[in-house]
Amino acid sequence: KKRSPMTFHFTARAAAVAVAAALLLPSSIEVAADGSVLVLEDFSDPRHSWTQMNDPVMGGQSTGTFAVADGVGRFVGHVAVVPFLHAPGFIKAETGTGETWEDVSSCAGLQLLVRSETPYAGYRVSFGTKRATSGFFAQGFKADFAAPLGAFGDVTLPFDTFSVEWDEATGDQTITCAEDPTVCPDAATLMD
């Protein structure tokens, strides 16, 4: 059973850009195992507690909300540049450490059923608590994803698209799994 958090991120992709974004997460977060599907979360009957956090804890001006209603997780917000850092801000919805997750070590990746209400290129999802070798805050395996605009659709993220090495200021991967297999999700994280 997993005891690590899962997080959805909005980040401003460029220091001079602010963005308003909305992401809908209906039904489920799933992983595929040998053609079958293992449901990790179902927002029609949520298994996990989700909380939302903005960058104002670091002096930023981003705002957001995450709420579950009518079988849909709705993540809405405005991401702004952190003024004194001149760096991208963030908002995120996450589960807490201690949440119980299924063992996904036999699975090939993560599948999300999502819809965006806004054209936006800064969506990310992460899981786990493994620390990066660089940086202070970077932890967990993170991957970018593009959410379908206007209509729900599946987004499939093979586990080899996630990396534990990412830039703390931008959220961008600094070393990809393709470049170095040691930054890929490890068996202990997928099992925990």
Side-chain angles (χ1 to χ4, degrees):
K1 298 279 184 180
K2 277 199 167 306
R3 299 211 179 271
S4 301
M6 178 174 288
T7 308
F8 290 91
H9 301 262
F10 289 165
T11 54
R13 297 292 284 216
V17 175
V19 65
L23 179 67
L24 299 181
L25 304 159
S27 302
S28 60
I29 299 168
E30 307 170 332
V31 289
D34 302 326
S36 62
V37 173
L38 173 64
V39 176
L40 298 178
E41 179 64 287
D42 182 340
F43 289 114
S44 67
D45 185 19
R47 301 174 188 178
H48 304 282
S49 293
W50 292 83
T51 59
Q52 198 278 329
M53 185 176 121
N54 304 321
D55 62 11
V57 298
M58 298 175 8
Q61 299 173 349
S62 300
T63 60
T65 61
F66 181 82
V68 177
D70 301 322
V72 176
R74 186 174 177 88
F75 187 24
V76 179
H78 175 82
V79 181
V81 172
V82 178
F84 78 94
L85 295 176
H86 305 289
F90 70 88
I91 61 175
K92 64 182 180 177
E94 65 184 350
T95 63
T97 302
E99 291 278 340
T100 301
W101 294 88
E102 298 296 324
D103 177 345
V104 297
S105 60
S106 66
C107 300
L110 184 66
Q111 181 174 304
L112 310 172
L113 178 59
V114 294
R115 176 181 93 200
S116 180
E117 296 177 345
T118 307
Y120 182 64
Y123 294 118
R124 294 186 168 92
V125 62
S126 66
F127 62 89
T129 58
K130 184 175 180 177
R131 291 253 178 220
T133 59
S134 61
F136 180 76
F137 296 105
Q139 70 175 14
F141 296 91
K142 187 179 288 194
D144 297 346
F145 69 94
L149 183 61
F152 287 110
D154 288 330
V155 173
T156 301
L157 300 165
F159 285 134
D160 64 6
T161 63
F162 287 81
S163 174
V164 73
E165 292 291 339
W166 44 272
D167 185 286
E168 294 174 333
T170 65
D172 294 335
Q173 291 183 8
T174 56
I175 304 171
T176 67
C177 185
E179 294 168 331
D180 181 355
T182 65
V183 305
C184 302
D186 55 2
T189 299
L190 296 173
M191 291 171 54
D192 182 21

PDB file of all heavy atoms in Angstrom, residues 26-53:
ATOM      1  N   PRO A  26     -12.419  13.923 -13.545  1.00  0.00           N
ATOM      2  CA  PRO A  26     -13.592  13.123 -13.243  1.00  0.00           C
ATOM      3  C   PRO A  26     -13.222  11.681 -12.968  1.00  0.00           C
ATOM      4  O   PRO A  26     -12.156  11.222 -13.343  1.00  0.00           O
ATOM      5  CB  PRO A  26     -14.405  13.215 -14.522  1.00  0.00           C
ATOM      6  CG  PRO A  26     -13.362  13.233 -15.567  1.00  0.00           C
ATOM      7  CD  PRO A  26     -12.217  14.038 -14.976  1.00  0.00           C
ATOM      8  N   SER A  27     -14.111  11.007 -12.350  1.00  0.00           N
ATOM      9  CA  SER A  27     -14.052   9.571 -12.185  1.00  0.00           C
ATOM     10  C   SER A  27     -12.779   9.063 -11.561  1.00  0.00           C
ATOM     11  O   SER A  27     -12.783   8.708 -10.412  1.00  0.00           O
ATOM     12  CB  SER A  27     -14.263   8.840 -13.517  1.00  0.00           C
ATOM     13  OG  SER A  27     -15.482   9.192 -14.064  1.00  0.00           O
ATOM     14  N   SER A  28     -11.665   8.997 -12.326  1.00  0.00           N
ATOM     15  CA  SER A  28     -10.612   8.155 -11.807  1.00  0.00           C
ATOM     16  C   SER A  28      -9.216   8.571 -12.198  1.00  0.00           C
ATOM     17  O   SER A  28      -8.986   9.242 -13.177  1.00  0.00           O
ATOM     18  CB  SER A  28     -10.847   6.724 -12.276  1.00  0.00           C
ATOM     19  OG  SER A  28     -10.847   6.662 -13.673  1.00  0.00           O
ATOM     20  N   ILE A  29      -8.305   8.127 -11.357  1.00  0.00           N
ATOM     21  CA  ILE A  29      -6.877   8.133 -11.632  1.00  0.00           C
ATOM     22  C   ILE A  29      -6.508   6.669 -11.630  1.00  0.00           C
ATOM     23  O   ILE A  29      -6.770   5.958 -10.661  1.00  0.00           O
ATOM     24  CB  ILE A  29      -6.113   8.905 -10.544  1.00  0.00           C
ATOM     25  CG1 ILE A  29      -6.575  10.360 -10.509  1.00  0.00           C
ATOM     26  CG2 ILE A  29      -4.613   8.801 -10.766  1.00  0.00           C
ATOM     27  CD1 ILE A  29      -6.090  11.117  -9.298  1.00  0.00           C
ATOM     28  N   GLU A  30      -5.917   6.201 -12.707  1.00  0.00           N
ATOM     29  CA  GLU A  30      -5.726   4.768 -12.889  1.00  0.00           C
ATOM     30  C   GLU A  30      -4.308   4.453 -13.316  1.00  0.00           C
ATOM     31  O   GLU A  30      -3.599   5.312 -13.812  1.00  0.00           O
ATOM     32  CB  GLU A  30      -6.672   4.252 -13.985  1.00  0.00           C
ATOM     33  CG  GLU A  30      -8.112   4.610 -13.760  1.00  0.00           C
ATOM     34  CD  GLU A  30      -8.988   4.318 -14.961  1.00  0.00           C
ATOM     35  OE1 GLU A  30      -8.503   4.336 -16.099  1.00  0.00           O
ATOM     36  OE2 GLU A  30     -10.178   4.076 -14.735  1.00  0.00           O
ATOM     37  N   VAL A  31      -3.929   3.197 -13.151  1.00  0.00           N
ATOM     38  CA  VAL A  31      -2.696   2.679 -13.714  1.00  0.00           C
ATOM     39  C   VAL A  31      -3.025   1.425 -14.498  1.00  0.00           C
ATOM     40  O   VAL A  31      -3.972   0.715 -14.180  1.00  0.00           O
ATOM     41  CB  VAL A  31      -1.635   2.380 -12.629  1.00  0.00           C
ATOM     42  CG1 VAL A  31      -1.096   3.660 -12.042  1.00  0.00           C
ATOM     43  CG2 VAL A  31      -2.176   1.486 -11.551  1.00  0.00           C
ATOM     44  N   ALA A  32      -2.256   1.189 -15.541  1.00  0.00           N
ATOM     45  CA  ALA A  32      -2.500   0.036 -16.393  1.00  0.00           C
ATOM     46  C   ALA A  32      -1.523  -1.078 -16.046  1.00  0.00           C
ATOM     47  O   ALA A  32      -0.331  -0.839 -15.910  1.00  0.00           O
ATOM     48  CB  ALA A  32      -2.338   0.430 -17.859  1.00  0.00           C
ATOM     49  N   ALA A  33      -2.035  -2.273 -15.885  1.00  0.00           N
ATOM     50  CA  ALA A  33      -1.213  -3.439 -15.599  1.00  0.00           C
ATOM     51  C   ALA A  33      -1.633  -4.566 -16.519  1.00  0.00           C
ATOM     52  O   ALA A  33      -2.733  -5.084 -16.405  1.00  0.00           O
ATOM     53  CB  ALA A  33      -1.375  -3.867 -14.142  1.00  0.00           C
ATOM     54  N   ASP A  34      -0.753  -4.908 -17.448  1.00  0.00           N
ATOM     55  CA  ASP A  34      -1.018  -6.020 -18.364  1.00  0.00           C
ATOM     56  C   ASP A  34      -2.388  -5.918 -19.022  1.00  0.00           C
ATOM     57  O   ASP A  34      -3.144  -6.881 -19.081  1.00  0.00           O
ATOM     58  CB  ASP A  34      -0.891  -7.356 -17.625  1.00  0.00           C
ATOM     59  CG  ASP A  34       0.468  -7.545 -16.994  1.00  0.00           C
ATOM     60  OD1 ASP A  34       1.462  -7.067 -17.582  1.00  0.00           O
ATOM     61  OD2 ASP A  34       0.548  -8.148 -15.916  1.00  0.00           O
ATOM     62  N   GLY A  35      -2.748  -4.742 -19.493  1.00  0.00           N
ATOM     63  CA  GLY A  35      -4.015  -4.545 -20.175  1.00  0.00           C
ATOM     64  C   GLY A  35      -5.180  -4.289 -19.245  1.00  0.00           C
ATOM     65  O   GLY A  35      -6.248  -3.895 -19.676  1.00  0.00           O
ATOM     66  N   SER A  36      -4.996  -4.535 -17.968  1.00  0.00           N
ATOM     67  CA  SER A  36      -6.066  -4.266 -17.016  1.00  0.00           C
ATOM     68  C   SER A  36      -5.847  -2.891 -16.397  1.00  0.00           C
ATOM     69  O   SER A  36      -4.819  -2.272 -16.572  1.00  0.00           O
ATOM     70  CB  SER A  36      -6.109  -5.344 -15.933  1.00  0.00           C
ATOM     71  OG  SER A  36      -4.908  -5.337 -15.202  1.00  0.00           O
ATOM     72  N   VAL A  37      -6.838  -2.421 -15.660  1.00  0.00           N
ATOM     73  CA  VAL A  37      -6.774  -1.097 -15.055  1.00  0.00           C
ATOM     74  C   VAL A  37      -6.973  -1.223 -13.550  1.00  0.00           C
ATOM     75  O   VAL A  37      -7.862  -1.917 -13.086  1.00  0.00           O
ATOM     76  CB  VAL A  37      -7.846  -0.166 -15.669  1.00  0.00           C
ATOM     77  CG1 VAL A  37      -7.907   1.157 -14.934  1.00  0.00           C
ATOM     78  CG2 VAL A  37      -7.568   0.052 -17.145  1.00  0.00           C
ATOM     79  N   LEU A  38      -6.123  -0.545 -12.806  1.00  0.00           N
ATOM     80  CA  LEU A  38      -6.220  -0.475 -11.358  1.00  0.00           C
ATOM     81  C   LEU A  38      -6.613   0.958 -11.012  1.00  0.00           C
ATOM     82  O   LEU A  38      -5.880   1.893 -11.331  1.00  0.00           O
ATOM     83  CB  LEU A  38      -4.861  -0.818 -10.732  1.00  0.00           C
ATOM     84  CG  LEU A  38      -4.700  -0.656  -9.236  1.00  0.00           C
ATOM     85  CD1 LEU A  38      -5.616  -1.622  -8.491  1.00  0.00           C
ATOM     86  CD2 LEU A  38      -3.257  -0.898  -8.842  1.00  0.00           C
ATOM     87  N   VAL A  39      -7.777   1.160 -10.426  1.00  0.00           N
ATOM     88  CA  VAL A  39      -8.261   2.498 -10.105  1.00  0.00           C
ATOM     89  C   VAL A  39      -7.625   2.948  -8.789  1.00  0.00           C
ATOM     90  O   VAL A  39      -7.776   2.287  -7.768  1.00  0.00           O
ATOM     91  CB  VAL A  39      -9.799   2.541 -10.005  1.00  0.00           C
ATOM     92  CG1 VAL A  39     -10.268   3.927  -9.585  1.00  0.00           C
ATOM     93  CG2 VAL A  39     -10.427   2.137 -11.331  1.00  0.00           C
ATOM     94  N   LEU A  40      -6.919   4.077  -8.835  1.00  0.00           N
ATOM     95  CA  LEU A  40      -6.276   4.626  -7.649  1.00  0.00           C
ATOM     96  C   LEU A  40      -7.156   5.654  -6.936  1.00  0.00           C
ATOM     97  O   LEU A  40      -7.057   5.818  -5.733  1.00  0.00           O
ATOM     98  CB  LEU A  40      -4.947   5.285  -8.022  1.00  0.00           C
ATOM     99  CG  LEU A  40      -3.896   4.364  -8.612  1.00  0.00           C
ATOM    100  CD1 LEU A  40      -2.656   5.162  -8.986  1.00  0.00           C
ATOM    101  CD2 LEU A  40      -3.540   3.252  -7.638  1.00  0.00           C
ATOM    102  N   GLU A  41      -7.961   6.371  -7.701  1.00  0.00           N
ATOM    103  CA  GLU A  41      -8.863   7.367  -7.127  1.00  0.00           C
ATOM    104  C   GLU A  41     -10.097   7.461  -7.993  1.00  0.00           C
ATOM    105  O   GLU A  41     -10.005   7.366  -9.215  1.00  0.00           O
ATOM    106  CB  GLU A  41      -8.184   8.731  -7.034  1.00  0.00           C
ATOM    107  CG  GLU A  41      -9.049   9.835  -6.460  1.00  0.00           C
ATOM    108  CD  GLU A  41      -9.462   9.616  -5.001  1.00  0.00           C
ATOM    109  OE1 GLU A  41     -10.321   8.741  -4.756  1.00  0.00           O
ATOM    110  OE2 GLU A  41      -8.930  10.305  -4.130  1.00  0.00           O
ATOM    111  N   ASP A  42     -11.242   7.637  -7.366  1.00  0.00           N
ATOM    112  CA  ASP A  42     -12.512   7.783  -8.064  1.00  0.00           C
ATOM    113  C   ASP A  42     -13.249   8.931  -7.391  1.00  0.00           C
ATOM    114  O   ASP A  42     -13.660   8.814  -6.241  1.00  0.00           O
ATOM    115  CB  ASP A  42     -13.304   6.474  -7.961  1.00  0.00           C
ATOM    116  CG  ASP A  42     -14.624   6.519  -8.695  1.00  0.00           C
ATOM    117  OD1 ASP A  42     -15.132   7.621  -8.980  1.00  0.00           O
ATOM    118  OD2 ASP A  42     -15.171   5.434  -8.967  1.00  0.00           O
ATOM    119  N   PHE A  43     -13.369  10.062  -8.084  1.00  0.00           N
ATOM    120  CA  PHE A  43     -13.960  11.241  -7.470  1.00  0.00           C
ATOM    121  C   PHE A  43     -15.473  11.149  -7.295  1.00  0.00           C
ATOM    122  O   PHE A  43     -16.067  12.009  -6.660  1.00  0.00           O
ATOM    123  CB  PHE A  43     -13.556  12.500  -8.236  1.00  0.00           C
ATOM    124  CG  PHE A  43     -12.099  12.842  -8.046  1.00  0.00           C
ATOM    125  CD1 PHE A  43     -11.217  12.789  -9.098  1.00  0.00           C
ATOM    126  CD2 PHE A  43     -11.625  13.196  -6.798  1.00  0.00           C
ATOM    127  CE1 PHE A  43      -9.879  13.084  -8.921  1.00  0.00           C
ATOM    128  CE2 PHE A  43     -10.286  13.495  -6.602  1.00  0.00           C
ATOM    129  CZ  PHE A  43      -9.406  13.438  -7.668  1.00  0.00           C
ATOM    130  N   SER A  44     -16.103  10.082  -7.816  1.00  0.00           N
ATOM    131  CA  SER A  44     -17.516   9.882  -7.501  1.00  0.00           C
ATOM    132  C   SER A  44     -17.656   9.300  -6.094  1.00  0.00           C
ATOM    133  O   SER A  44     -18.719   9.379  -5.492  1.00  0.00           O
ATOM    134  CB  SER A  44     -18.186   8.975  -8.540  1.00  0.00           C
ATOM    135  OG  SER A  44     -17.655   7.668  -8.464  1.00  0.00           O
ATOM    136  N   ASP A  45     -16.585   8.724  -5.583  1.00  0.00           N
ATOM    137  CA  ASP A  45     -16.525   8.213  -4.215  1.00  0.00           C
ATOM    138  C   ASP A  45     -15.060   8.272  -3.774  1.00  0.00           C
ATOM    139  O   ASP A  45     -14.375   7.251  -3.724  1.00  0.00           O
ATOM    140  CB  ASP A  45     -17.052   6.773  -4.166  1.00  0.00           C
ATOM    141  CG  ASP A  45     -17.130   6.222  -2.757  1.00  0.00           C
ATOM    142  OD1 ASP A  45     -17.135   7.018  -1.786  1.00  0.00           O
ATOM    143  OD2 ASP A  45     -17.166   4.984  -2.622  1.00  0.00           O
ATOM    144  N   PRO A  46     -14.547   9.480  -3.459  1.00  0.00           N
ATOM    145  CA  PRO A  46     -13.114   9.659  -3.188  1.00  0.00           C
ATOM    146  C   PRO A  46     -12.593   8.766  -2.064  1.00  0.00           C
ATOM    147  O   PRO A  46     -13.242   8.604  -1.033  1.00  0.00           O
ATOM    148  CB  PRO A  46     -13.002  11.138  -2.795  1.00  0.00           C
ATOM    149  CG  PRO A  46     -14.205  11.787  -3.365  1.00  0.00           C
ATOM    150  CD  PRO A  46     -15.287  10.743  -3.327  1.00  0.00           C
ATOM    151  N   ARG A  47     -11.427   8.198  -2.309  1.00  0.00           N
ATOM    152  CA  ARG A  47     -10.752   7.358  -1.318  1.00  0.00           C
ATOM    153  C   ARG A  47      -9.737   8.150  -0.499  1.00  0.00           C
ATOM    154  O   ARG A  47      -9.264   7.672   0.517  1.00  0.00           O
ATOM    155  CB  ARG A  47     -10.000   6.232  -2.027  1.00  0.00           C
ATOM    156  CG  ARG A  47     -10.869   5.341  -2.859  1.00  0.00           C
ATOM    157  CD  ARG A  47     -10.026   4.350  -3.625  1.00  0.00           C
ATOM    158  NE  ARG A  47     -10.857   3.631  -4.572  1.00  0.00           N
ATOM    159  CZ  ARG A  47     -10.404   2.733  -5.412  1.00  0.00           C
ATOM    160  NH1 ARG A  47      -9.121   2.447  -5.452  1.00  0.00           N
ATOM    161  NH2 ARG A  47     -11.227   2.124  -6.236  1.00  0.00           N
ATOM    162  N   HIS A  48      -9.337   9.307  -1.013  1.00  0.00           N
ATOM    163  CA  HIS A  48      -8.247  10.071  -0.417  1.00  0.00           C
ATOM    164  C   HIS A  48      -8.700  11.472  -0.044  1.00  0.00           C
ATOM    165  O   HIS A  48      -9.646  12.006  -0.605  1.00  0.00           O
ATOM    166  CB  HIS A  48      -7.070  10.159  -1.400  1.00  0.00           C
ATOM    167  CG  HIS A  48      -6.603   8.817  -1.844  1.00  0.00           C
ATOM    168  ND1 HIS A  48      -5.822   8.007  -1.063  1.00  0.00           N
ATOM    169  CD2 HIS A  48      -6.836   8.127  -2.979  1.00  0.00           C
ATOM    170  CE1 HIS A  48      -5.580   6.878  -1.704  1.00  0.00           C
ATOM    171  NE2 HIS A  48      -6.192   6.923  -2.865  1.00  0.00           N
ATOM    172  N   SER A  49      -7.985  12.071   0.900  1.00  0.00           N
ATOM    173  CA  SER A  49      -8.206  13.463   1.265  1.00  0.00           C
ATOM    174  C   SER A  49      -7.279  14.327   0.412  1.00  0.00           C
ATOM    175  O   SER A  49      -6.076  14.080   0.360  1.00  0.00           O
ATOM    176  CB  SER A  49      -7.879  13.688   2.743  1.00  0.00           C
ATOM    177  OG  SER A  49      -8.784  13.010   3.551  1.00  0.00           O
ATOM    178  N   TRP A  50      -7.841  15.320  -0.240  1.00  0.00           N
ATOM    179  CA  TRP A  50      -7.082  16.206  -1.117  1.00  0.00           C
ATOM    180  C   TRP A  50      -7.084  17.600  -0.511  1.00  0.00           C
ATOM    181  O   TRP A  50      -8.107  18.078  -0.022  1.00  0.00           O
ATOM    182  CB  TRP A  50      -7.717  16.245  -2.514  1.00  0.00           C
ATOM    183  CG  TRP A  50      -7.592  14.943  -3.232  1.00  0.00           C
ATOM    184  CD1 TRP A  50      -8.404  13.850  -3.103  1.00  0.00           C
ATOM    185  CD2 TRP A  50      -6.583  14.577  -4.167  1.00  0.00           C
ATOM    186  NE1 TRP A  50      -7.973  12.834  -3.909  1.00  0.00           N
ATOM    187  CE2 TRP A  50      -6.853  13.254  -4.577  1.00  0.00           C
ATOM    188  CE3 TRP A  50      -5.489  15.242  -4.702  1.00  0.00           C
ATOM    189  CZ2 TRP A  50      -6.049  12.585  -5.499  1.00  0.00           C
ATOM    190  CZ3 TRP A  50      -4.694  14.585  -5.622  1.00  0.00           C
ATOM    191  CH2 TRP A  50      -4.976  13.257  -6.005  1.00  0.00           C
ATOM    192  N   THR A  51      -5.931  18.237  -0.530  1.00  0.00           N
ATOM    193  CA  THR A  51      -5.813  19.617  -0.065  1.00  0.00           C
ATOM    194  C   THR A  51      -5.183  20.450  -1.173  1.00  0.00           C
ATOM    195  O   THR A  51      -4.555  19.919  -2.085  1.00  0.00           O
ATOM    196  CB  THR A  51      -4.949  19.725   1.209  1.00  0.00           C
ATOM    197  OG1 THR A  51      -3.648  19.201   0.933  1.00  0.00           O
ATOM    198  CG2 THR A  51      -5.583  18.980   2.363  1.00  0.00           C
ATOM    199  N   GLN A  52      -5.355  21.745  -1.077  1.00  0.00           N
ATOM    200  CA  GLN A  52      -4.852  22.657  -2.086  1.00  0.00           C
ATOM    201  C   GLN A  52      -3.875  23.612  -1.425  1.00  0.00           C
ATOM    202  O   GLN A  52      -4.081  24.029  -0.285  1.00  0.00           O
ATOM    203  CB  GLN A  52      -6.035  23.404  -2.704  1.00  0.00           C
ATOM    204  CG  GLN A  52      -5.772  24.064  -4.015  1.00  0.00           C
ATOM    205  CD  GLN A  52      -5.111  25.418  -3.855  1.00  0.00           C
ATOM    206  OE1 GLN A  52      -5.330  26.111  -2.886  1.00  0.00           O
ATOM    207  NE2 GLN A  52      -4.291  25.762  -4.816  1.00  0.00           N
ATOM    208  N   MET A  53      -2.782  23.949  -2.134  1.00  0.00           N
ATOM    209  CA  MET A  53      -1.789  24.874  -1.610  1.00  0.00           C
ATOM    210  C   MET A  53      -1.352  25.836  -2.699  1.00  0.00           C
ATOM    211  O   MET A  53      -1.206  25.442  -3.856  1.00  0.00           O
ATOM    212  CB  MET A  53      -0.573  24.119  -1.091  1.00  0.00           C
ATOM    213  CG  MET A  53       0.447  25.004  -0.412  1.00  0.00           C
ATOM    214  SD  MET A  53       1.779  24.021   0.275  1.00  0.00           S
ATOM    215  CE  MET A  53       3.160  24.706  -0.591  1.00  0.00           C
TER     216      MET A  53
END
